[in-house]
Structure formats: C-alpha cells, structure tokens
Amino acid sequence: MPKKGARVCGYCGKLHDSGMRCERVAKQNRDRKARFDAKRPSARQRGYTAEWQRESKAYLAAHPVCVRCGSPAALVDHIRPHKGNHDLFWDKANWQPLCTPCHNSAKQAEERRMRKAQR
C-alpha cells in the first residue's frame, strides 16, 4: 500500500514524514496539556475514589460489552458529563460500559463538539 508523502510543517517549514509531528508542535502540545492538568482537580477530587472503583468494577461485571462497538468493555463512562454533580455522578442510569478506544476517541470527540456548540 502506498505511503503518504512528507508534508511541510506550518511551524518550522521543514518536511516531516506522514504521521510524524514537528518537535516544536509536540512541545507546544505537552505544554498546553501540562497547563490544563495543573488547573484540573485530581481524580479523587472529581469523585473517582475507591468507592467508585468498586462500583464501576461491579457494573462492568454485569455489563461486560462496549455499547458502541461490542468489544470487551474496560471502563464505565458517564453518558451525560456530571461536571461535579454528585447525584448525576452516581446515577447508574447515566453509566455506560465502553472499551478504551471508544472512550478515548469517539466519546471524547463527541463531548468536545457538544462543548463547542454550547459556546
């Protein structure tokens, strides 16, 4: 299968192989993510405690298949983002089993689109 050709980077002006990132762009992304993480509450502060671990493990035992693609589920996702709402966080009707790829790609992209539309 043919490989995509190299592309000119919009930041440094150099050629980079397809799928490769400019080190400058990679550093900017790392810095941006570090700034975001510095402001973000810890997982524990967001409600992901030992109690959550027990409940999500039990939920996955009862619902072992990803609702999006049918592969084995790896985590429990909140259908509607809880945004700190304790009742919504613990509402099992708001939970769904997802595999890691579905959660980390499709679901996150969907949430970004929803946030963008709300602005």
Side-chain angles (χ1 to χ4, degrees):
M1 179 175 254
K3 185 176 157 185
K4 284 185 179 180
R7 63 177 181 77
V8 176
C9 177
Y11 289 96
C12 68
K14 296 179 183 175
L15 284 176
H16 297 286
D17 289 334
S18 177
M20 300 299 291
R21 285 199 170 148
C22 171
E23 184 53 40
R24 183 174 168 190
V25 173
K27 182 180 180 338
Q28 286 177 337
N29 285 340
R30 283 192 303 271
D31 292 347
R32 176 183 49 79
K33 289 176 184 179
R35 284 191 306 274
F36 175 79
D37 286 343
K39 290 187 246 176
R40 186 177 191 199
S42 71
R44 182 170 183 76
Q45 291 168 328
R46 294 190 322 267
Y48 298 98
T49 60
E51 182 182 5
W52 166 258
Q53 294 298 324
R54 280 191 305 276
E55 291 295 323
S56 63
K57 188 175 181 180
Y59 186 84
L60 287 175
H63 305 87
V65 178
C66 176
V67 295
R68 289 182 178 246
C69 71
S71 30
L75 50 88
V76 177
D77 176 63
H78 293 92
I79 298 167
R80 290 187 342 246
H82 58 85
K83 297 182 182 179
N85 180 331
H86 193 265
D87 294 332
L88 189 57
F89 183 89
W90 288 106
D91 180 9
K92 290 185 181 181
N94 188 39
W95 294 2
Q96 66 181 348
L98 292 179
C99 66
T100 303
C102 285
H103 178 267
N104 292 349
S105 60
K107 179 67 168 43
Q108 299 303 313
E110 181 181 297
E111 287 183 7
R112 278 192 299 275
R113 283 193 302 274
M114 286 189 323
R115 282 192 302 265
K116 205 177 268 189
Q118 291 173 349
R119 290 182 195 162

